[in-house]
Structure formats: structure tokens, C-alpha cells
Amino acid sequence: MNFIIAKDYEAMGRIAANIVAAQVLTKPDSVLGLATGSTPISLYRELVALYKRGEITFQNVKSFNLDEYVGLLPTDQNSYMYFMKYHLFDHINIKEGNYHCPKGTPKDLHEEAKNYERMIRDAGGIDLQVLGIGPNGHIGFNEPSMKFEKATHITDLDDKTIEANKRFFDKKEDVPKKAITMGIKTIMMAKSIVLLASGSSKAEIVKQAFLGEIMPNIPASVLQLHHNVTVIVDSEAGESIKMHV
Ligand code: PGA
């Protein structure tokens, strides 16, 4: 794993944007795996800036987001499709139809999960996957468990996740209890991975996930087995690894 400790949140986003831009410049029809949450917002801000300056184009890029809440329509302000349009897709020239989130309200959720997996495969697989990390070590919505779930699947959200995400909703009870998420194998099949973490609340989990044992109760720890992962943290999230990397 490569570790980069950026000086702050904005620098973390800039470094990640350079990696995404290099990917898209060297392979204009790249397939990107994208993440939501507070962490990648500085990355998306920087990608929009690079696009507006004419330095990159998303004309032939395809993207697949990691996950979506079950029960939320793409027009819901808390859906991840809404988030992605708000922070990225509506500001760049990615084609409608080329960006995807799993659907949160299909007739058949299990069919949607299979279909999402098939769409990723048919697109040629993910070239570069962007990830955040939950305070419980989740990636996508692969929550701590006794085993690693392989493919895109439906999952119950961990109480820690609901607690962490309630800030986006009026009240905790409004946070959906289930989500549809890429699986660990889906993520591990990406040709390269960039994981971002910001803030002191992530320092301990970053250390456990990337310097500790590989265990399904810390899902991100499996990334230690991937051959091309770059972990970019800001100085606060990097506090407990800085002596070791
Ligand atoms: P955050 O979420 O970026 O809002 O901290 C990260 C995650 O849950 O993966």
C-alpha cells in the first residue's frame, strides 16, 4: 500500500484529483468507481475545477457508485445519486447514462444487485475505485461482519453507520436501515484503488485497518491484499500511522 499524508482536507482532495485526472488522461474511456460522504467532496470540487479549466474531459468516462440507501429515490436529497449530481455529475461533461448508482427502489432488490454487478462487468470492470472509510472500518456499505460479502448485495446498516450518517437527516429514525452496496470482491477487482480519510475521528480506524490484522470485522483491512492501493489521509487522520509509514 502507498500512504500519502496530506497537510489538510483540501490537499487530500487535490492529490486524489491528480490521481483521478491521470487515470482519465491516460485512458479517456476509464471506468471510475465513486464514493459518497463528506470525505470525497474536496476531490469532487477539484475535479470540477480541472474540468472547468479545460484540463480534463469526462466525455467517454463511465462511473459506478459504491452504494445507495434502500427506499430512497434518486430525486431524494439524501440519496447518493442526488449527492453525486449535486457535487459532481451536474458540473462536468459525463454523459447521462454513463454514470450509475445502484437503484434504491427497484421492484426486486436482489435482481438489481445482480444487474449492477453485470453492468460493471460489461463495462470492462473498474479502472480506479475511490473509497472512504467508515468509523467502523466499512468500505461502501460492507459493514463489520463474520465474513466478507463478495458481490453487490443488500445489507442492514450497522448502528455505528446510522449514528454517523444521521447528521444528513432530520432525525436518526429517518436514516434508512438497509442499503445496496458493491461487495468486497467487486471492490477488490478494481485495477487500482484510492482510499481517502480525513479528520481525527478516522485516525484509529486507519491504523487498525491498514497496519493491523486482515479481518472481516474491519472490512477495509482486506485492502492490504490488493496490489495497487493508495491511502491518502489528512494530517489528523494520519496521526496514528505517521510513525509507521
Ligand atoms: P464520511 O463517510 O466520508 O462521511 O466520513 C465515509 C464512509 O462512511 O465511507
Side-chain angles (χ1 to χ4, degrees):
M1 303 185 107
N2 306 316
F3 291 93
I4 299 173
I5 302 183
K7 79 172 190 314
D8 56 26
Y9 175 71
E10 292 301 327
M12 177 196 73
R14 265 196 311 276
I15 295 166
N18 280 317
I19 295 175
V20 175
Q23 173 66 46
V24 169
L25 286 168
T26 51
K27 185 171 184 253
D29 60 348
S30 286
V31 179
L32 302 178
L34 298 176
T36 51
S38 307
T39 313
I41 291 175
S42 60
L43 157 63
Y44 297 149
R45 208 163 27 231
E46 193 61 26
L47 287 178
V48 170
L50 286 169
Y51 166 70
K52 294 219 156 122
R53 290 203 300 268
E55 292 175 30
I56 48 172
T57 173
F58 294 87
Q59 179 87 23
N60 295 313
V61 166
K62 290 190 179 136
S63 75
F64 290 90
N65 264 76
L66 284 163
D67 45 22
E68 181 59 278
Y69 287 119
V70 166
L72 299 194
L73 287 164
T75 47
D76 190 299
Q77 292 199 12
N78 279 309
S79 77
Y80 286 162
M81 181 56 105
Y82 189 96
F83 174 101
M84 289 308 301
K85 286 169 75 80
Y86 183 84
H87 288 287
L88 185 64
F89 300 151
D90 284 351
H91 312 288
I92 60 174
N93 64 339
I94 192 166
K95 289 187 194 129
E96 207 169 341
N98 276 359
Y99 55 80
H100 311 274
C101 282
K103 292 191 178 63
T105 57
K107 273 207 197 77
D108 183 337
L109 277 164
H110 295 283
E111 200 47 49
E112 170 63 13
K114 269 200 243 161
N115 188 39
Y116 200 66
E117 200 66 34
R118 199 177 311 121
M119 285 200 303
I120 295 172
R121 203 181 48 233
D122 291 350
I126 292 168
D127 292 301
L128 172 62
Q129 176 69 56
V130 175
L131 295 174
I133 181 169
N136 61 0
H138 76 197
I139 44 176
F141 276 134
N142 290 276
E143 301 287 34
S145 168
M146 300 287 284
K147 62 182 169 73
F148 293 115
E149 286 285 347
K150 287 189 265 188
T152 300
H153 61 284
I154 317 306
T155 186
D156 290 323
L157 296 181
D158 202 71
D159 199 52
K160 237 177 153 179
T161 298
I162 292 176
E163 195 56 42
N165 290 6
K166 72 176 187 199
R167 65 190 193 279
F168 299 110
F169 294 81
D170 289 341
K171 50 188 189 310
K172 189 175 168 186
E173 294 70 51
D174 294 345
V175 184
K177 309 280 181 296
K178 284 183 187 293
I180 177 167
T181 179
M182 281 185 198
I184 291 294
K185 184 174 173 191
T186 329
I187 293 169
M188 290 291 278
M189 296 274 287
K191 296 176 188 81
S192 58
I193 295 177
V194 172
L195 181 138
L196 307 178
S198 155
S200 56
S201 65
K202 299 286 173 71
E204 191 49 38
I205 195 66
V206 163
K207 180 175 165 202
Q208 284 177 30
F210 305 127
L211 300 180
E213 300 290 335
I214 299 166
M215 302 184 296
N217 66 351
I218 303 182
S221 65
V222 76
L223 298 175
Q224 294 183 51
L225 300 175
H226 193 281
H227 66 287
N228 190 351
V229 180
T230 303
V231 175
I232 310 173
V233 294
D234 65 8
S235 58
E236 290 181 347
E239 190 55 38
S240 50
I241 58 164
K242 68 177 187 213
M243 309 300 283
H244 307 277
V245 300

